[in-house]
Each structure stands twice: as structure tokens, then as C-alpha cells.
Amino acid sequence: MHPSNPSTDAGVRNLHAAAPPVPSNFIREIVLEDLKTNKYGGRVQTRFPPEPNGYLHIGHAKSICLNFGLAAEFGGKTNLRFDDTNPSKEETEYVESIQDNVKWLGFNWDRLFYASDYFDQLYEWAAQLIKAGKAYVDDLAADEIRTYRGTLTEPGKDSPYRNRSIEENLELFARMRAGDFPDGSRVLRAKIDMASPNLNLRDPVMYRILHAEHHRTGNKWCIYPMYDYAHGQSDSLEQVTHSICTLEFEDHRPLYNWFIQQLGIFPSQQIEFDRLNLTYTLLSKRKLLQLVEEGHVRGWDDPRMPTISGIRRRGYTPEAIRNFCGAIGVSKTNGSIELAMLEHFVREDLNKRAPRVMAVLRPLKVVIDNYPPGQVEEMEAVNNPEDPAAGTRKVPFSRELYIEQDDFREDPPRQYYRLSPGREVRLRYGYFVTCTNVVKNDNGEVVEVHCTYDPQTRGGNSPPDGRKVKSTIHWVSSAHAINAEVRIYDNLFTKEDPNQVEDGKDFISNLNPQSLELLAGAKLEPSLANAAVEGRYQFERLGYFCVDPDSAKAKLVFNRTVALKDTWAKVEKKIEKKTEKR
Ligand code: ATP
Ligand code: MG
């Protein structure tokens, strides 16, 4: 009955475009220099190395864009490597979601690895270091190791076990692997320098005993390598040329290099950049896990979560995220980026591509008294003024409509130009209408607005007398409307820095109790009847919205991705401020 445009039905599709442009930065300069000096034979090999202990977040997106973007720019390749050296915290669910997320962001890895693929090789190399007198088995307990390590101002002390013979070390290490000792009773340490000004070089632990089942190696191992021992060697095995990671690993770089030098293996190089921090947002898998486990959000993909799965469900596009990551760049000092900047990139991308539709979130009934009962006109509406190729669609107009409650005021304040008694406004793509009277309920609330229309303004065009109106409002024909639930989101935290808490409290105390508002009675234009999950639209004058997977045939569910800039709210604030001053 209402021919709908296919581009409207599907919403915005994901464009798996080429890698984003990488603006000039210090990492790129290092790569360029290495290419010039032929350090790696003209090769660029990067890797993205997540630990599968949670879902990826927007901070990881920055790392993904950098790793994949750099390699792509220089004809190189990027591996995906799961850093799965912590068996007790890792799960297959995370491995799957991470692969989904990377693909969704628009990237294809070259080879897929797991650090656990290298457990045999890492064990052999550890034995090699023992034989070279560069590693030893230590029987000190964890807290003793900590005390012996010293502080930034005091050198460390040698462990009494530091000078065991090579034979004894080899035998004990083999028995650690064989399962002869309980968890925590012994460790393997690198023998470097207990007086080094860099604490990471004071005989760091290479292996710990952990009788835990691993998601891939099962019960084959009861000793597991530490991050610092596994990471660089994994890079080297994959012949990674530029191993980029976040700044907190800067002090670990000498250790990264030490293992590679001692073993005489491929010289991968580590380069550090700043972590992404966003205002009103927490980017830590551990804390995000707490939000999920304690039920503060509906899951890892709750649209309020900064996870890739969450912002995808919210309606953010991969293009917007990639453009954002390109724009923030990289630096050598940690800072914080305004959440508003991310939202800007989302709006900018959706503005170009999201089909426009009319939807009323908080409906108020309007009856046009002089419009013929039973008559329906198909009004032509533009799908996207930013994209002429998106074409037009038909929207039914009839005698009874819904408008937003916000678009009517019985007693309009100054500078409020929308509908009010005696006032004429334009119904977008419809007609000029003038409010004649209202119907109220027993509480004195307006429940129905009565209007007349001017037949000479069909399509919303000015009449022959050139009369103008100051406001255009959107509407939905009540007989044709589709019901929907709309979920409006606000920041998950009330504080710019959610980690800033009063004594004795934690970040949970900064949760915004109003981060989710449910509008169960929204009315949508009928072209949305076939909207597909993840379809993205601009609801005219309201913002960008995306179809949630909770949708059913009988009831669509939309998430508000991001609001349009609300000009009226700004005017109202200005007026308020002026009044306060007086
Ligand atoms: P989290 O604290 O959230 O668990 P992580 O650094 O432990 O983060 P990993 O899975 O080890 O998470 O990270 C994989 C890659 O992503 C690493 O190279 C890491 O440096 C990078 N990364 C993680 N968080 C951020 C962030 N906020 N900004 C930029 N890169 C990040
Ligand atoms: Mg980690």
C-alpha cells in the first residue's frame, strides 16, 4: 500500500571501506625511517594482541586502527594474536567476540595466532636461558620476592636461590612443568640485575606455577609464561617489525629487548603510544566486567557500554569510529578526549548516510477538523537531503495525526515558535495548520489539539499569498503509525572522570541513575515497518536511531544513537541564564 524505498528499509549499510588514512605521527615516522634504512628488508608487520579476558572497547579500536592502518599504508600485514597466557581469566566467548569486532570495524587480519601456540617454543627458550646461566628457579614466596625486589630508591637483594647450579635449575624447571609442585611455590626468574634502576630488570619472573585448565591447551601445562616473557618472543616468532603498545609498557621495553638479545632471535621493536581515555567513560575490561557481572548494565553489548559490541548496538558506524581514531592521532603523553568529539564523528557520518524518517517519541493527538474524514494523501518526502541518490518516499497524511508533546504549548514562552493556540505552523511535507482549540482531561492536561489546515499549502509549501510560518514540525498519521519502543541513553557516569571518587567509594558510585529512559509508546511512519536490525535512521528533528535486536515484528525497538544538536534546549538555557541574572 505504501511503496517503501529499499534504501530506507535497510537503513545505513556498513561500508567495508579500505583502511582509514593514517595522519602523520611519530610511529609513522619510525616506520618511514626503518623503510629508508632497510632495517627490516622493507617489510612492515604489525599485530593486534588482545587478551581474551573481556570484550574490546573503543580504546582497543584506537590500537586496531593504528596497527592495521600502518601496515596497510606500507603494504604490510597485521596478525591477530590472542595473548592467552592467563588461563584462569580467559574464555572462548571473548575470543569469538574479539574476532567479530575486528571484522566489523572493517579490518582483515593476515594470520591468526594464540600466544599459547608458542608454549613449547617458549619453554625450550627458557631452558636455553637456564643453560646460559641467565635464568633460575626461585623458591621465595611471592611476597618475599616483592620485598627482595627493593624500591625506586633502594636496590634489590639477591634471592638465596639465585646461584643454584644450572643442573639443579634445569631439573627443578622440568619438575615445575611436570606438576611436582603446588601453585605459587616456585617461579622461574631471569637473572639480570637486582640493582638496576629499572625495577622490571630486577630478575623478573618468567614462569609461574598454575594448575589451571587453559581454554586451548587444556591440562597440558601447569606452568604459564608471564606477559613480559611471552610477548616479545611471540612478536619475534611472527617477525613483527613494529610492536606498538600503550605507554605503561615503556619501562618494560629494556626487558623486551633483553630477552630478544639473549636468545638471538628476530629483533622486533616495541613502540609505545598513549592510551585512549574518554570523558564520562571507563575503558578497562576489568571494570566493564564488574558493570556486567553486578547487573548495572544489561550485558557487554548494552548500548551504554563503550565496548565495540555496545556502540555497534547503539548505532555507531565503523566508519565513524575509524574517522575518530584517525583524528585523535597518537602521542607520548596520556590525556583525555571529550566524549562529545566521538559523538561528533558519529553524527557527521550518519548525516551523510542515514535515511530520514518521521517518528514521534511522546505523542500528542492532533485532529484537523476541516480535513475530509477517511481521506488519505500520500505525501512525497525526501529520504536524505545530503544524498540526492537516496530518492523519495511516500508518507500517508490523514485527518488525525500525532505530533511531539514538546511541539505544543498552550501558553508559549517567548521565542517559542511551535504550535500553540491561534498559531500557524508547517507540518513537514504536509500542510500549514493553525491551532483552534484543545481538549483537556480531568487533570487539566491537554490530550488533543484541534487545528484547521490550508489546502493551498500541500506538501508544506507557502500559499499564494506568500504567508510564512516560523516553525516546521514533524508528525505521523495516527491510523498508519507503527508502534515502537525507543530507548534514550545518557552518559553511563555522572563524572567526567568516573574514577574520581570520594573516600571509601568506588567508581560504581558515579553511575548515572538516569542513563536509560524507556519510551514505550512511540509512533513511527509506516515506511519503517520492514526496518532491519541495525538499520540506522535519522528521526527528523530528534537524532539518529538504530533498530535494536530486541525488536519483534509486532514491536520495533530503537536505540537513540546520538541526538541532533538541540537548538531549542540551547535557546531555553540562554533565556534561563538571562532571567537568573536579573
Ligand atoms: P584493559 O585494561 O582494558 O584490559 P589491556 O591493555 O589490558 O586493556 P589488552 O587486551 O591487553 O587490554 O590490549 C590489547 C591491545 O590494545 C594492547 O596493545 C593495548 O595496549 C591496546 N589497548 C588497550 N586499551 C587501550 C586504550 N584505552 N587505548 C589504546 N590502546 C589500548
Ligand atoms: Mg590486560
Side-chain angles (χ1 to χ4, degrees), residues 252-281:
H252 296 237
R253 191 183 342 131
L255 180 56
Y256 180 102
N257 292 335
W258 189 87
F259 284 123
I260 284 180
Q261 277 154 14
Q262 296 303 320
L263 294 166
I265 53 180
F266 182 85
S268 300
Q269 72 178 313
Q270 177 182 303
I271 305 165
E272 309 84 18
F273 67 95
D274 59 322
R275 276 185 99 78
L276 171 65
N277 294 305
L278 273 180
T279 56
Y280 302 103
T281 309

CSV table of all heavy atoms in Angstrom, one decimal, residues 252-281:
chain,number,residue,atom,x,y,z
A,252,HIS,N,59.0,-1.4,30.3
A,252,HIS,CA,59.2,-2.8,30.0
A,252,HIS,C,60.1,-3.0,28.8
A,252,HIS,O,60.5,-4.1,28.5
A,252,HIS,CB,57.9,-3.6,29.8
A,252,HIS,CG,57.0,-3.5,31.1
A,252,HIS,ND1,56.6,-4.7,31.7
A,252,HIS,CD2,56.5,-2.5,31.8
A,252,HIS,CE1,55.8,-4.4,32.7
A,252,HIS,NE2,55.8,-3.0,32.8
A,253,ARG,N,60.3,-2.0,28.0
A,253,ARG,CA,61.0,-2.1,26.7
A,253,ARG,C,62.4,-2.7,26.9
A,253,ARG,O,62.8,-3.6,26.1
A,253,ARG,CB,61.0,-0.8,25.9
A,253,ARG,CG,61.5,-1.1,24.5
A,253,ARG,CD,61.6,0.2,23.6
A,253,ARG,NE,60.9,1.3,24.1
A,253,ARG,CZ,61.4,2.6,24.2
A,253,ARG,NH1,62.7,2.8,23.9
A,253,ARG,NH2,60.7,3.6,24.7
A,254,PRO,N,63.2,-2.2,27.9
A,254,PRO,CA,64.5,-2.8,28.0
A,254,PRO,C,64.4,-4.4,28.3
A,254,PRO,O,65.3,-5.1,27.8
A,254,PRO,CB,65.1,-2.1,29.3
A,254,PRO,CG,64.3,-0.8,29.3
A,254,PRO,CD,62.9,-1.2,28.9
A,255,LEU,N,63.4,-4.8,28.9
A,255,LEU,CA,63.3,-6.2,29.2
A,255,LEU,C,62.9,-7.0,27.9
A,255,LEU,O,63.4,-8.0,27.6
A,255,LEU,CB,62.2,-6.5,30.3
A,255,LEU,CG,61.9,-7.9,30.7
A,255,LEU,CD1,63.2,-8.6,31.1
A,255,LEU,CD2,60.9,-7.9,31.8
A,256,TYR,N,62.0,-6.3,27.2
A,256,TYR,CA,61.5,-6.9,25.9
A,256,TYR,C,62.8,-7.1,25.0
A,256,TYR,O,63.0,-8.1,24.4
A,256,TYR,CB,60.6,-5.8,25.2
A,256,TYR,CG,60.0,-6.1,23.9
A,256,TYR,CD1,58.7,-6.5,23.8
A,256,TYR,CD2,60.7,-5.9,22.7
A,256,TYR,CE1,58.1,-6.8,22.5
A,256,TYR,CE2,60.2,-6.1,21.5
A,256,TYR,CZ,58.9,-6.6,21.4
A,256,TYR,OH,58.3,-6.8,20.1
A,257,ASN,N,63.6,-6.1,25.0
A,257,ASN,CA,64.9,-6.2,24.2
A,257,ASN,C,65.9,-7.2,24.8
A,257,ASN,O,66.5,-7.9,24.0
A,257,ASN,CB,65.5,-4.8,24.1
A,257,ASN,CG,64.7,-3.9,23.2
A,257,ASN,OD1,63.9,-4.3,22.4
A,257,ASN,ND2,64.9,-2.6,23.5
A,258,TRP,N,65.9,-7.3,26.1
A,258,TRP,CA,66.9,-8.2,26.7
A,258,TRP,C,66.6,-9.6,26.3
A,258,TRP,O,67.6,-10.3,25.9
A,258,TRP,CB,66.8,-8.0,28.3
A,258,TRP,CG,67.9,-8.8,29.0
A,258,TRP,CD1,69.1,-8.3,29.4
A,258,TRP,CD2,67.8,-10.1,29.6
A,258,TRP,NE1,69.8,-9.2,30.1
A,258,TRP,CE2,69.0,-10.4,30.2
A,258,TRP,CE3,66.8,-11.1,29.6
A,258,TRP,CZ2,69.3,-11.6,30.9
A,258,TRP,CZ3,67.1,-12.3,30.2
A,258,TRP,CH2,68.3,-12.5,30.9
A,259,PHE,N,65.4,-10.1,26.4
A,259,PHE,CA,65.1,-11.5,26.0
A,259,PHE,C,65.4,-11.7,24.6
A,259,PHE,O,66.0,-12.8,24.3
A,259,PHE,CB,63.6,-11.8,26.3
A,259,PHE,CG,63.2,-12.0,27.7
A,259,PHE,CD1,62.2,-11.2,28.3
A,259,PHE,CD2,63.8,-13.0,28.5
A,259,PHE,CE1,61.8,-11.4,29.6
A,259,PHE,CE2,63.4,-13.2,29.8
A,259,PHE,CZ,62.5,-12.4,30.4
A,260,ILE,N,65.1,-10.8,23.7
A,260,ILE,CA,65.3,-11.0,22.3
A,260,ILE,C,66.8,-11.1,22.0
A,260,ILE,O,67.3,-11.9,21.3
A,260,ILE,CB,64.7,-9.9,21.5
A,260,ILE,CG1,63.2,-10.1,21.4
A,260,ILE,CG2,65.3,-9.7,20.1
A,260,ILE,CD1,62.4,-9.1,20.6
A,261,GLN,N,67.6,-10.2,22.7
A,261,GLN,CA,69.1,-10.2,22.5
A,261,GLN,C,69.7,-11.5,23.1
A,261,GLN,O,70.5,-12.1,22.4
A,261,GLN,CB,69.7,-9.0,23.2
A,261,GLN,CG,69.7,-7.8,22.4
A,261,GLN,CD,69.7,-6.5,23.2
A,261,GLN,OE1,70.0,-6.5,24.4
A,261,GLN,NE2,69.4,-5.4,22.6
A,262,GLN,N,69.3,-11.9,24.3
A,262,GLN,CA,69.8,-13.1,24.9
A,262,GLN,C,69.6,-14.4,24.0
A,262,GLN,O,70.4,-15.2,23.9
A,262,GLN,CB,69.3,-13.4,26.3
A,262,GLN,CG,69.6,-12.3,27.3
A,262,GLN,CD,71.1,-12.1,27.5
A,262,GLN,OE1,71.9,-13.1,27.5
A,262,GLN,NE2,71.5,-10.9,27.5
A,263,LEU,N,68.4,-14.4,23.4
A,263,LEU,CA,68.0,-15.5,22.6
A,263,LEU,C,68.5,-15.4,21.2
A,263,LEU,O,68.5,-16.4,20.4
A,263,LEU,CB,66.5,-15.7,22.6
A,263,LEU,CG,65.9,-16.1,24.0
A,263,LEU,CD1,64.4,-15.9,24.0
A,263,LEU,CD2,66.3,-17.5,24.4
A,264,GLY,N,68.9,-14.2,20.8
A,264,GLY,CA,69.4,-14.0,19.4
A,264,GLY,C,68.4,-14.3,18.4
A,264,GLY,O,68.6,-14.9,17.3
A,265,ILE,N,67.2,-13.8,18.7
A,265,ILE,CA,66.1,-14.1,17.7
A,265,ILE,C,65.7,-12.8,17.0
A,265,ILE,O,66.2,-11.7,17.3
A,265,ILE,CB,64.8,-14.7,18.4
A,265,ILE,CG1,64.4,-13.9,19.6
A,265,ILE,CG2,65.2,-16.1,18.9
A,265,ILE,CD1,63.2,-14.4,20.4
A,266,PHE,N,64.7,-12.9,16.1
A,266,PHE,CA,64.3,-11.8,15.3
A,266,PHE,C,64.0,-10.5,16.1
A,266,PHE,O,63.3,-10.5,17.1
A,266,PHE,CB,63.0,-12.1,14.5
A,266,PHE,CG,62.6,-11.0,13.5
A,266,PHE,CD1,63.1,-10.9,12.3
A,266,PHE,CD2,61.6,-10.1,14.0
A,266,PHE,CE1,62.7,-9.8,11.4
A,266,PHE,CE2,61.2,-9.0,13.1
A,266,PHE,CZ,61.8,-8.9,11.9
A,267,PRO,N,64.7,-9.4,15.7
A,267,PRO,CA,64.6,-8.2,16.6
A,267,PRO,C,63.4,-7.3,16.4
A,267,PRO,O,63.5,-6.2,15.8
A,267,PRO,CB,65.9,-7.4,16.1
A,267,PRO,CG,66.0,-7.8,14.7
A,267,PRO,CD,65.5,-9.2,14.5
A,268,SER,N,62.2,-7.8,16.8
A,268,SER,CA,61.0,-6.9,16.8
A,268,SER,C,61.3,-5.7,17.7
A,268,SER,O,62.1,-5.8,18.6
A,268,SER,CB,59.9,-7.7,17.4
A,268,SER,OG,59.6,-8.9,16.7
A,269,GLN,N,60.7,-4.6,17.4
A,269,GLN,CA,60.9,-3.4,18.2
A,269,GLN,C,59.5,-2.9,18.8
A,269,GLN,O,58.5,-2.8,18.1
A,269,GLN,CB,61.6,-2.3,17.5
A,269,GLN,CG,60.8,-1.6,16.4
A,269,GLN,CD,61.5,-0.5,15.8
A,269,GLN,OE1,62.2,0.4,16.4
A,269,GLN,NE2,61.5,-0.4,14.4
A,270,GLN,N,59.6,-2.5,20.0
A,270,GLN,CA,58.4,-2.1,20.7
A,270,GLN,C,58.3,-0.5,20.7
A,270,GLN,O,59.3,0.1,20.9
A,270,GLN,CB,58.4,-2.5,22.2
A,270,GLN,CG,57.2,-2.0,23.0
A,270,GLN,CD,57.3,-2.4,24.4
A,270,GLN,OE1,57.4,-3.6,24.8
A,270,GLN,NE2,57.3,-1.5,25.3
A,271,ILE,N,57.1,0.0,20.3
A,271,ILE,CA,56.9,1.4,20.3
A,271,ILE,C,55.7,1.7,21.1
A,271,ILE,O,54.6,1.1,20.9
A,271,ILE,CB,56.7,1.9,18.8
A,271,ILE,CG1,57.9,1.5,18.0
A,271,ILE,CG2,56.5,3.4,18.8
A,271,ILE,CD1,57.6,1.6,16.5
A,272,GLU,N,55.7,2.7,22.0
A,272,GLU,CA,54.6,3.0,22.9
A,272,GLU,C,53.9,4.2,22.4
A,272,GLU,O,54.5,5.2,22.0
A,272,GLU,CB,55.1,3.1,24.3
A,272,GLU,CG,56.0,2.0,24.8
A,272,GLU,CD,57.4,2.2,24.5
A,272,GLU,OE1,57.8,3.4,24.1
A,272,GLU,OE2,58.2,1.3,24.5
A,273,PHE,N,52.5,4.2,22.6
A,273,PHE,CA,51.7,5.4,22.4
A,273,PHE,C,50.7,5.6,23.5
A,273,PHE,O,50.6,4.7,24.4
A,273,PHE,CB,51.0,5.2,21.0
A,273,PHE,CG,49.9,4.1,21.0
A,273,PHE,CD1,48.6,4.4,21.3
A,273,PHE,CD2,50.3,2.8,20.8
A,273,PHE,CE1,47.7,3.4,21.3
A,273,PHE,CE2,49.4,1.8,20.8
A,273,PHE,CZ,48.1,2.1,21.1
A,274,ASP,N,50.0,6.7,23.5
A,274,ASP,CA,49.1,7.0,24.6
A,274,ASP,C,47.8,6.2,24.5
A,274,ASP,O,47.2,6.0,23.5
A,274,ASP,CB,48.8,8.5,24.7
A,274,ASP,CG,48.1,9.0,23.4
A,274,ASP,OD1,48.5,8.5,22.3
A,274,ASP,OD2,47.2,9.8,23.4
A,275,ARG,N,47.3,5.7,25.7
A,275,ARG,CA,46.0,5.0,25.8
A,275,ARG,C,44.9,6.0,25.5
A,275,ARG,O,45.1,7.2,25.9
A,275,ARG,CB,45.8,4.6,27.2
A,275,ARG,CG,46.4,3.3,27.7
A,275,ARG,CD,45.9,3.0,29.1
A,275,ARG,NE,44.8,2.1,29.1
A,275,ARG,CZ,44.9,0.8,28.9
A,275,ARG,NH1,46.1,0.3,28.7
A,275,ARG,NH2,43.9,0.0,28.9
A,276,LEU,N,43.9,5.6,24.9
A,276,LEU,CA,42.7,6.5,24.8
A,276,LEU,C,41.9,6.5,26.1
A,276,LEU,O,41.6,5.4,26.7
A,276,LEU,CB,41.8,5.9,23.7
A,276,LEU,CG,40.4,6.6,23.6
A,276,LEU,CD1,40.6,8.1,23.2
A,276,LEU,CD2,39.5,5.9,22.6
A,277,ASN,N,41.7,7.7,26.6
A,277,ASN,CA,40.7,7.9,27.7
A,277,ASN,C,39.6,8.8,27.2
A,277,ASN,O,39.9,9.8,26.5
A,277,ASN,CB,41.4,8.6,28.9
A,277,ASN,CG,42.5,7.7,29.5
A,277,ASN,OD1,42.2,6.6,29.9
A,277,ASN,ND2,43.7,8.2,29.6
A,278,LEU,N,38.4,8.6,27.6
A,278,LEU,CA,37.3,9.4,27.1
A,278,LEU,C,36.6,9.9,28.3
A,278,LEU,O,36.4,9.2,29.3
A,278,LEU,CB,36.3,8.5,26.4
A,278,LEU,CG,36.4,8.3,24.9
A,278,LEU,CD1,35.3,7.4,24.4
A,278,LEU,CD2,36.4,9.6,24.1
A,279,THR,N,36.1,11.1,28.3
A,279,THR,CA,35.3,11.7,29.4
A,279,THR,C,34.0,10.9,29.6
A,279,THR,O,33.5,10.3,28.6
A,279,THR,CB,35.0,13.2,29.2
A,279,THR,OG1,34.3,13.3,28.0
A,279,THR,CG2,36.2,14.0,29.1
A,280,TYR,N,33.6,10.8,30.8
A,280,TYR,CA,32.3,10.1,31.2
A,280,TYR,C,32.3,8.6,30.9
A,280,TYR,O,31.3,8.0,30.8
A,280,TYR,CB,31.1,10.8,30.6
A,280,TYR,CG,31.0,12.2,30.9
A,280,TYR,CD1,31.3,13.3,30.0
A,280,TYR,CD2,30.5,12.6,32.2
A,280,TYR,CE1,31.2,14.6,30.4
A,280,TYR,CE2,30.4,13.9,32.6
A,280,TYR,CZ,30.8,14.9,31.6
A,280,TYR,OH,30.7,16.2,32.0
A,281,THR,N,33.5,8.1,30.7
A,281,THR,CA,33.6,6.7,30.2
A,281,THR,C,34.8,6.0,30.9
A,281,THR,O,35.8,6.6,31.2
A,281,THR,CB,34.0,6.7,28.7
A,281,THR,OG1,33.0,7.6,28.0
A,281,THR,CG2,33.9,5.4,28.0
